Amino acid sequence: MSFTCECSRGEGSVDWIRATFKDCVYTVPDELGFYLGLVSIACWLFAQLPQMLRNYRLKSAESLSPYFLAEWLAGDAMNLSGCLFAGDQLPSQVYTACYFVCVDVGMIAQYAYYALSRRDALALVGKDLADATEDDEESLLAAAA
């Protein structure tokens, strides 16, 4: 991606925003909008964190739907694809889209890990219960004889 900032009025734009984000901001309302946008992105960057922490603490992801996770990933992947195919997106847009896809993959990995762990645990419990039942039956038969 070779996005370059071509501000129509080089003078008067906020230098650090132009240099860092390749965005042209000239007026106070533009600058206010830019800062509010940064706050919004910061909020979204941590939106999934509470769910991931809860899953970790409970060692379960039962509250998540795999279909919802798949739709979420599909939406974020399309957003990233749109950013990349357009080719003239701001770097912050592409980085944010990449971040969301990575977080979605992390959430899906967490879901898969806990689902597989739970399935294995249930299989072990089922096997233990079956073994215990056989042992009890043998004990009862031995006592009756």
Side-chain angles (χ1 to χ4, degrees):
M1 181 172 71
S2 62
F3 185 85
T4 57
C5 182
E6 297 177 13
C7 296
S8 59
R9 303 175 295 185
E11 292 182 23
S13 64
V14 180
D15 291 332
W16 79 270
I17 295 175
R18 186 179 66 247
T20 306
F21 293 97
K22 311 289 190 248
D23 197 0
C24 303
V25 174
Y26 296 102
T27 65
V28 172
D30 287 346
E31 198 169 350
L32 179 62
F34 178 82
Y35 293 130
L36 289 174
L38 285 181
V39 170
S40 173
I41 289 172
C43 290
W44 273 107
L45 289 177
F46 298 104
Q48 294 168 322
L49 187 61
Q51 181 66 53
M52 293 182 91
L53 290 174
R54 179 186 160 120
N55 294 346
Y56 175 75
R57 286 186 189 124
L58 296 176
K59 304 292 185 226
S60 171
E62 282 185 35
S63 61
L64 296 174
S65 164
Y67 303 109
F68 172 73
L69 293 174
E71 285 183 45
W72 205 347
L73 176 62
D76 286 339
M78 287 181 209
N79 180 34
L80 175 59
S81 298
C83 285
L84 296 175
F85 289 136
D88 62 348
Q89 300 296 307
L90 295 172
S92 59
Q93 291 170 307
V94 176
Y95 300 150
T96 303
C98 287
Y99 172 80
F100 285 131
V101 168
C102 291
V103 170
D104 293 347
V105 169
M107 188 78 79
I108 290 170
Q110 190 181 44
Y111 178 86
Y113 174 79
Y114 289 128
L116 290 174
S117 296
R118 185 162 193 260
R119 187 188 71 193
D120 292 344
L122 288 175
L124 287 174
V125 167
K127 184 179 180 308
D128 288 344
L129 288 174
D131 291 344
T133 304
E134 289 174 11
D135 291 342
D136 290 342
E137 286 175 7
E138 289 175 9
S139 298
L140 288 173
L141 290 174

